[in-house]
């Protein structure tokens, strides 16, 4: 399955916290993504919570775009990526 890095900008901040419904929101995203065969692996969030870098496995770049629209999430850039593990060579 191809892997992608998705960069998103949230001008007002992401604000997904467990105590404020964040768990439920994330679970809903996972479920909606599954309809398109998209798997959200994890995300990195900037300290100011305005930029995220999300790692996805997905059948196509367009599948990620469709799930983003359904989930009402911005997409700044999608980059196909592969894993480079520094421990692979040891």
């Amino acid at each position: 399955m191809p892997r992608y890095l998705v960069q998103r900008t949230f001008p007002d901040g992401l604000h997904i916290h467990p105590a404020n419904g964040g768990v439920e929101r994330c679970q809903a995203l996972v479920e909606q993504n599954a309809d398109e065969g998209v798997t959200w692996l994890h995300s990195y969030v900037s300290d100011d919570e305005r930029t995220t870098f999300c790692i996805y496995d997905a059948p196509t770049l367009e599948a990620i775009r469709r799930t983003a629209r359904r989930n009402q999430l911005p997409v700044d850039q999608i980059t196909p990526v592969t894993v480079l593990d520094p421990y692979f060579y040891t």
Side-chain angles (χ1 to χ4, degrees), residues 5-67:
L5 172 78
V6 180
Q7 183 175 345
R8 306 178 194 280
T9 300
F10 298 88
D12 297 324
L14 184 58
H15 308 297
I16 294 183
H17 301 284
N20 295 332
V23 172
E24 293 81 4
R25 173 73 172 130
C26 289
Q27 187 59 41
L29 293 173
V30 168
E31 291 171 7
Q32 289 183 11
N33 289 350
D35 293 343
E36 294 280 345
V38 174
T39 302
W40 173 26
L41 300 176
H42 60 271
S43 295
Y44 300 96
V45 182
S46 63
D47 285 343
D48 64 5
E49 296 186 348
R50 291 186 177 164
T51 305
T52 63
F53 302 91
C54 307
I55 305 297
Y56 287 91
D57 284 342
T60 65
L61 187 140
E62 187 53 40
I64 292 174
R65 289 192 189 285
R66 282 193 302 269
T67 60

